[in-house]
Amino acid sequence: MASLNSIMVSFFLVLLFSSSCFALSDTTPEKFYQCICKNSDFSDPFSKAFFTPNTDSFNTVLNSTAQNLRCLMPTVPKPVLIFTPMAESHVQAAVICAKQLNLQLRVRSGGHDYEGLSYISVMDSPFVIVDLSKLREIDVNIEENSAWAQAGATVGEVYYRISEKSKTHGFPAGLCTSLGIGGHITGGAYGSMMRKFGLGADNVIDARIVNANGTILDRLSMGEDLFWAIRGGGGASFGIILSWKLKLVTVPSVVTVFTVPKTLEDGATKILYKWQQVADKIDDDLFMRVVINVVDKKDKKGERTVQTAYNSLFLGNVDRLLQIMNESFPELGLTQKDCTEMSWIESILYIAGFPTKTPPEILLQGKPTFKNYFKAKSDFIKEPIPETGLDGIWKRLLEEDSPLMIWNPYGGMMANISESETPFPHRKGVIFKIQYLTLWTEPDQELATKHVDWIRKLYSYMTSYASMFPREAYVNYRDLDLGMNKNGNSNSSFVQATVWGNKYFNNNFNRLVEIKTKVDPENFFKFEQSIPTLPLTKKRKGKKINH
């Protein structure tokens, strides 16, 4: 017969090894871990999917997809824990556990958000990052013209998996291939096929989301109000996107691309003024954006000038493109030697800025092509900017070290979709959208202040040329200069949020607030620019929304 001591030892070992979930002490990360184990099938060691500031890999995981280095500086608040769920049930448990432990959740699918709000917090309570990078399955069904893509998959991975199955199918989403598809579509998701097919959000036919109760919903169970809100209403206000069902579009087997640079010495001002007359009216198959920066003059070393580069995708062959350009925009002087015919997947690499002949398999790496310290802003333009206005822009660009402006043309399908069809309101009447950027390379606060001051002054200069009442902005270019929810311990002020809410969503903001109040009355999913709930939430709880 075994001795009493040996029985006790065996019993102790069983307790020790039967559940790693309860072998830890009582700190917040360990409480969260234990709660995840209790509320899901998660049973792996703490070190496999949980990272605290004390673990060696914490910074590697935190920095992995974060694009804006400004949001990673030592002075920026850090999470108490990063959790990388490996199944949908783990995401459900994360919501349940964050509520139980009174923790903020920040949800990251890609990390391209311009103010870093998926991985930082300036609110005053501890926060946890739920990083969805391990949820990246993609299932393409060419017969149904559809694909399910999990939130942590990158846009580039989605493009590649579609191209694996068909050379004549695609999806109209972002130009930057390392975007996480989850958050990308919640803001609208524009790209080089938007004038032909609309936004990524316009081409979503179903979704799976974890709501504030920790319940998984699809389109049928969430209802059309919530399905409307998540397709352009900004990420992370209504729940955690698990996956999207995408409607694929038909693309030609041969497309054409070109990039034509024009400096001030080449007559860039007059050419750009003419571009404004035609960019939104030209053939819907042509997306012709303008990338504007400062370069050295060709023949005068040390002297700088402004360069405008016309960077384009045409859904067709070079002969038809040249015919369209000669008729509508001969001022650019496009020639056959400027153009390259290629497959749609090759055009994805071209527009994203990969070197020539880069194999498409690089898209499976999901890595951003650059990381910088930067600050960005946005505008929507509804009337052409006169040449005198352009001259004022050039003057200001030449005062900055590394300025960048990107002008994206609208029109086509974008003008044919009602501004209330999704929360993304910037539709008919928009000629183009401007993205403003200033970039720097050193983690110096004085340097950062200098560059941020510059972009704010440029933005102020542009006031008279931008859309008005409201001055609109793109929610996927988050800009905390527009205002923010400052109190993390109470419901956000509706009046306070209206200022930036109207800029991002225009007349759709009030409907977003009503839906938020209905589906998340306790305002669990909150952050610096989350959709607020209405006052007197309890009285309105469960109120039917009619639209």
Side-chain angles (χ1 to χ4, degrees):
M1 176 183 276
S3 69
L4 181 62
N5 282 343
S6 64
I7 292 172
M8 292 298 292
V9 169
S10 299
F11 179 66
F12 174 75
L13 290 173
V14 168
L15 282 177
L16 186 65
F17 294 113
S18 62
S19 174
S20 60
C21 291
F22 298 99
L24 298 162
S25 61
D26 220 21
T27 66
T28 295
E30 288 150 359
K31 284 180 180 178
F32 191 81
Y33 171 59
Q34 291 168 11
C35 182
I36 293 290
C37 293
K38 181 180 177 182
N39 286 280
S40 73
D41 61 354
F42 190 90
S43 60
D44 289 318
F46 182 88
S47 60
K48 190 164 181 181
F50 295 82
F51 307 89
T52 72
N54 298 324
T55 55
D56 292 339
S57 50
F58 176 80
N59 285 329
T60 301
V61 176
L62 178 63
N63 300 352
S64 58
T65 60
Q67 189 189 29
N68 193 347
L69 299 179
R70 180 169 59 89
C71 302
L72 296 174
M73 293 175 71
T75 54
V76 175
K78 301 294 185 288
V80 295
L81 179 70
I82 302 172
F83 174 42
T84 57
M86 290 173 276
E88 290 185 342
S89 62
H90 304 163
V91 183
Q92 288 180 276
V95 171
I96 292 166
C97 296
K99 290 180 84 169
Q100 285 183 10
L101 298 172
N102 195 29
L103 294 167
Q104 281 191 72
L105 274 192
R106 295 294 158 117
V107 183
R108 181 167 74 175
S109 64
H112 277 238
D113 54 329
Y114 281 15
E115 299 282 14
L117 299 182
S118 63
Y119 53 93
I120 70 171
S121 171
V122 298
M123 291 179 168
D124 54 6
S125 56
F127 71 101
V128 169
I129 295 175
V130 175
D131 186 315
L132 302 176
S133 58
K134 292 182 180 176
L135 299 178
R136 57 197 318 133
E137 288 183 12
I138 300 163
D139 181 20
V140 178
N141 188 326
I142 294 300
E143 289 71 31
E144 288 187 359
N145 289 317
S146 68
W148 273 103
Q150 284 192 301
T154 64
V155 170
E157 286 176 299
V158 172
Y159 294 156
Y160 181 85
R161 294 306 181 195
I162 295 169
S163 75
E164 262 190 326
K165 296 284 185 75
S166 169
K167 304 307 177 191
T168 55
H169 285 78
F171 184 71
L175 296 88
C176 188
T177 57
S178 57
L179 288 158
I181 195 79
H184 179 48
I185 289 177
T186 62
Y190 79 89
S192 56
M193 297 199 294
M194 62 188 281
R195 302 190 64 251
K196 181 71 172 182
F197 299 111
L199 306 171
D202 298 327
N203 292 276
V204 166
I205 49 183
D206 204 344
R208 289 173 64 79
I209 183 174
V210 178
N211 71 2
N213 297 322
T215 305
I216 294 179
L217 305 172
D218 62 7
R219 180 175 182 172
L220 183 63
S221 55
M222 79 175 77
E224 289 303 300
D225 278 323
L226 182 53
F227 186 62
W228 176 86
I230 61 177
R231 291 174 298 131
S237 287
F238 302 96
I240 302 177
I241 300 294
L242 294 171
S243 56
W244 297 108
K245 188 176 185 181
L246 313 174
K247 180 179 71 178
L248 305 186
V249 301
T250 302
V251 297
S253 56
V254 174
V255 303
T256 307
V257 298
F258 67 84
T259 302
V260 176
K262 297 289 182 182
T263 64
L264 297 184
E265 292 71 31
D266 299 325
T269 304
K270 289 188 180 300
I271 296 170
L272 188 59
Y273 181 68
K274 178 60 186 294
W275 175 88
Q276 295 179 85
Q277 323 292 319
V278 302
D280 63 321
K281 302 174 186 68
I282 207 162
D283 192 291
D284 295 357
D285 286 334
L286 179 58
F287 175 85
M288 182 170 41
R289 66 174 180 166
V290 188
V291 180
I292 306 172
N293 63 350
V294 172
V295 299
D296 289 332
K297 289 184 179 179
K298 292 175 185 175
D299 303 323
K300 297 182 180 178
K301 195 173 182 181
E303 288 191 35
R304 306 198 310 159
T305 187
V306 173
Q307 175 180 274
T308 59
Y310 294 80
N311 177 237
S312 306
L313 169 68
F314 178 66
L315 298 172
N317 61 34
V318 66
D319 292 338
R320 190 162 75 88
L321 170 61
L322 289 172
Q323 182 182 348
I324 290 167
M325 289 293 286
N326 289 334
E327 289 174 1
S328 301
F329 193 28
E331 290 82 359
L332 188 62
L334 186 70
T335 66
Q336 187 153 354
K337 65 180 175 60
D338 297 317
C339 304
T340 306
E341 292 183 337
M342 57 180 59
S343 66
W344 173 74
I345 194 65
E346 289 171 329
S347 78
I348 293 296
L349 297 166
Y350 177 89
I351 295 290
F354 286 96
T356 306
K357 296 185 178 178
T358 299
E361 285 71 23
I362 198 170
L363 297 174
L364 298 177
Q365 295 180 13
K367 293 180 179 177
T369 51
F370 72 96
K371 290 193 177 194
N372 282 292
Y373 300 88
F374 70 87
K375 172 67 180 174
K377 302 180 83 67
S378 61
D379 261 324
F380 289 86
I381 308 300
K382 298 185 174 182
E383 298 289 339
I385 301 170
E387 290 185 33
T388 53
L390 297 178
D391 288 338
I393 295 173
W394 311 152
K395 177 177 178 290
R396 287 159 177 80
L397 292 180
L398 287 166
E399 293 170 353
E400 176 65 346
D401 297 332
S402 297
L404 184 64
M405 293 176 77
I406 303 174
W407 294 19
N408 287 294
Y410 273 53
M413 182 59 76
M414 292 300 294
N416 296 333
I417 298 173
S418 163
E419 75 166 48
S420 60
E421 182 70 20
T422 70
F424 183 96
H426 320 290
R427 304 286 190 171
K428 189 176 182 180
V430 174
I431 302 175
F432 60 99
K433 177 187 68 190
I434 296 179
Q435 177 178 190
Y436 308 91
L437 284 159
T438 177
L439 307 100
W440 60 99
T441 57
E442 299 296 328
D444 180 271
Q445 189 54 53
E446 283 188 22
L447 195 61
T449 300
K450 171 194 163 191
H451 292 297
V452 172
D453 285 349
W454 173 84
I455 200 170
R456 286 172 177 163
K457 287 175 184 174
L458 175 62
Y459 185 74
S460 177
Y461 166 77
M462 293 294 293
T463 301
S464 60
Y465 305 115
S467 58
M468 299 174 67
F469 310 117
R471 183 176 183 177
E472 298 173 32
Y474 180 38
V475 69
N476 268 2
Y477 298 159
R478 288 277 181 196
D479 181 4
L480 293 182
D481 289 354
L482 304 180
M484 63 175 131
N485 308 319
K486 293 172 184 170
N487 189 345
N489 295 319
S490 66
N491 281 356
S492 306
S493 163
F494 170 71
V495 174
Q496 184 178 299
T498 298
V499 178
W500 51 261
N502 285 340
K503 291 176 183 292
Y504 290 143
F505 307 113
N506 211 334
N507 297 321
N508 295 324
F509 178 62
N510 287 343
R511 184 180 176 192
L512 287 169
V513 173
E514 289 184 10
I515 295 169
K516 167 74 171 180
T517 305
K518 177 185 176 185
V519 303
D520 185 15
E522 296 175 359
N523 198 22
F524 172 71
F525 291 109
K526 60 178 178 284
F527 57 93
E528 288 77 1
Q529 282 189 344
S530 57
I531 301 295
T533 53
L534 285 166
L536 305 175
T537 296
K538 290 181 181 177
K539 292 183 181 180
R540 296 173 182 268
K541 188 174 181 180
K543 178 185 171 185
K544 183 175 175 58
I545 302 170
N546 295 307
H547 286 282

